[in-house]
């Protein structure tokens, strides 16, 4: 399906809202396009009001600086000053208090605590609608640990701060979209963590969230865990014990999902258009193909939150911190996507 965003998406939404459905299928497709619009019909006056509000009012997007010893402060500042960002939203940079100093490239618990405090402030403001979205620069997981924080990164911290039970990490790019079924755990722990129930929840969440990104009826592929997707049990049994039952349960709920497909070919098929998104079993299975085809343009999105949150597709890069050479493009892409999602949230109410 064609993707639509920003002004194009708004025009599609407004056109769909004014067009009376000819049958149940078109009604369903329109509702999916609107991403949960509570009414299937609005008046011309309401359409005009919606259009005026979206065109005139730019969303405020919080840009958090991440670990202050990494490249986050640099890419956040450059993104906030970028003409494309200023055209799309009102950026608000969230950084450590004035006077706080951190040596570039030096890992510390103090920097980890500062990054945490920044995230907490931004989430509080997002929940109070002071800002309409958050785009985060990278944190350092080891710095979090040195600060005595139990979270491994943004995803589980944001779930805790917002009280969200089912969340997932998606990497979004025009070329490829991937959702992770497991995230920051040792590879040896993945088979035990990949249960039928957890995978069913991830697939269902993906199906529910993808319409916000322009996919009214998302076609979801699930990658196998083992080589050749287990080859009928020759190379592992997780496909039969966890993955296939989860897929069957989701299909019974009306979700367009298929698999498990071998991990060495499913991303090629998704990139050529056979699928809209791939659910990967573990971190590197999903992120290697995304970063191979879209590094610097991909955006990390947390699915399942009551707020909009996007992030970069890279880490703190301590090795180049403070040198003024960090590429801000992924941060810019994250802010632009956050602004677009915030725009759509305004349209659908």
């Amino acid at each position: 399906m064609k993707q639509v965003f920003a002004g194009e998406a708004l025009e599609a939404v407004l056109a769909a809202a004014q067009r009376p459905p000819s049958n149940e299928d078109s009604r369903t497709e329109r509702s999916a396009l609107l991403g949960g619009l509570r009414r299937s019909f609005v008046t011309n006056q309401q359409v005009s009001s919606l259009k005026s509000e979206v065109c005139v009012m730019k969303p405020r997007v919080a840009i958090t600086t991440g670990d202050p010893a990494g490249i986050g402060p640099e890419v956040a500042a450059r993104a906030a000053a970028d003409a494309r960002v200023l055209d799309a939203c009102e950026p608000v940079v969230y950084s450590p208090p004035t006077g706080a100093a951190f040596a570039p490239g030096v890992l510390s618990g103090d920097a980890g605590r500062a990054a945490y405090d920044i995230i907490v402030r931004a989430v509080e403001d997002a929940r109070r609608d002071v800002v309409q979205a958050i785009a985060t620069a990278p944190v350092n997981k080891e710095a979090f640990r040195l600060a005595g924080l139990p979270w491994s990164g943004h995803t589980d911290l944001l779930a805790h701060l917002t009280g969200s039970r089912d969340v997932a990490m998606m990497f979004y790019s025009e070329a490829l979209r991937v959702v992770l079924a497991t995230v920051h755990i040792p590879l040896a722990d993945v088979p035990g963590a990949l249960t039928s129930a957890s995978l069913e929840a991830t697939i269902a969440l993906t199906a529910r969230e993808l319409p916000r990104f322009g996919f009214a009826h998302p076609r979801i592929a699930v990658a196998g865990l083992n080589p050749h997707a287990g080859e009928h049990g020759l190379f592992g049994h997780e496909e039969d014990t966890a993955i296939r039952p989860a897929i069957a349960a989701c299909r019974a709920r009306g979700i367009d999902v298929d698999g498990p497909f071998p991990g060495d070919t499913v991303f090629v098929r998704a990139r050529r258009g056979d699928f809209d998104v791939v659910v990967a079993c573990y971190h590197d299975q999903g992120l290697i193909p995304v970063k191979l085809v879209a590094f610097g343009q991909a955006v990390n999105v947390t699915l399942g939150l009551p707020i909009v949150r996007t992030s970069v597709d890279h880490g703190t890069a301590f090795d180049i911190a403070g040198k003024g050479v960090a590429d801000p493009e992924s941060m810019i892409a994250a802010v632009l996507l956050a602004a677009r999602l915030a725009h759509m949230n305004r349209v659908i109410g």
Side-chain angles (χ1 to χ4, degrees):
M1 175 188 172
K2 179 186 177 183
Q3 296 180 69
V4 290
F5 251 140
E8 185 183 355
L10 176 59
E11 294 301 328
V13 167
L14 296 174
Q18 297 178 85
R19 184 176 63 251
S22 58
N23 54 49
E24 190 60 31
D25 288 341
S26 64
R27 187 193 305 272
T28 301
E29 180 174 357
R30 182 183 58 187
S31 296
L33 175 64
L34 297 179
L37 188 63
R38 291 182 178 87
R39 297 184 302 276
S40 60
F41 181 79
V42 296
T43 66
N44 289 337
Q45 183 177 3
Q46 288 170 316
V47 167
S48 177
S49 176
L50 279 172
K51 189 170 183 178
S52 297
E53 177 184 352
V54 172
C55 291
V56 173
M57 296 180 61
K58 294 179 182 179
R60 302 186 83 206
V61 177
I63 305 177
T64 64
T65 54
D67 190 302
I71 63 172
E74 178 185 347
V75 297
R78 292 178 66 184
D82 186 85
R84 293 163 291 177
V85 167
L86 293 171
D87 186 56
C89 68
E90 180 187 344
V92 183
V93 177
Y94 284 61
S95 57
T98 302
F102 301 90
V106 177
L107 176 71
S108 73
D110 288 342
R113 172 60 65 172
Y116 166 81
D117 290 340
I118 292 167
I119 296 164
V120 171
R121 284 168 43 213
V123 170
E124 288 175 349
D125 283 353
R127 301 201 76 178
R128 293 188 295 117
D129 201 37
V130 175
V131 296
Q132 287 71 56
I134 302 173
T136 61
V139 298
N140 186 283
K141 296 165 182 58
E142 191 174 354
F144 264 32
R145 190 58 51 89
L146 290 174
L149 301 171
W151 302 283
S152 62
H154 278 111
T155 303
D156 52 345
L157 172 56
L158 290 166
H160 168 75
L161 292 175
T162 60
S164 304
R165 187 183 68 176
D166 293 326
V167 298
M169 181 186 294
M170 179 174 80
F171 276 74
Y172 173 92
S173 73
E174 293 296 325
L176 184 65
R177 291 151 299 280
V178 174
V179 174
L180 303 181
T182 63
V183 189
H184 297 122
I185 61 174
L187 189 57
D189 294 344
V190 170
L194 195 68
T195 66
S196 178
S198 68
L199 187 56
E200 180 182 348
T202 299
I203 296 170
L205 177 62
T206 302
R208 187 167 67 249
E209 292 277 283
L210 260 290
R212 293 197 298 139
F213 297 83
F215 299 97
H217 303 287
R219 300 164 299 162
I220 304 170
V222 181
L225 173 65
N226 297 296
H228 300 255
E231 196 78 48
H232 304 291
L234 289 176
F235 307 129
H237 300 282
E238 288 80 8
E239 284 75 13
D240 292 327
T241 59
I243 300 177
R244 286 191 177 91
I247 291 173
C250 288
R251 282 179 177 166
R253 297 165 62 175
I255 296 172
D256 185 357
V257 58
D258 204 358
F261 298 106
D264 59 351
T265 57
V266 66
F267 300 100
V268 176
R269 294 185 60 187
R271 193 183 180 201
R272 74 186 184 197
D274 292 354
F275 308 107
D276 298 317
V277 62
V278 178
V279 175
C281 290
Y282 57 94
H283 185 277
D284 285 11
Q285 183 187 53
L287 297 199
I288 288 172
V290 169
K291 294 189 178 185
L292 183 64
V293 303
F295 187 71
Q297 290 83 46
V299 177
N300 178 351
V301 185
T302 307
L303 305 181
L305 297 176
I307 60 175
V308 173
R309 180 264 174 167
T310 64
S311 191
V312 295
D313 66 353
H314 57 74
T316 50
F318 280 166
D319 57 324
I320 61 170
K323 297 180 180 179
V325 297
D327 185 350
E329 284 303 313
S330 184
M331 187 79 252
I332 291 168
V335 178
L336 292 177
L337 181 57
R340 291 168 181 170
L341 293 173
H343 268 302
M344 293 307 298
N345 282 350
R346 277 183 173 163
V347 172
I348 66 179

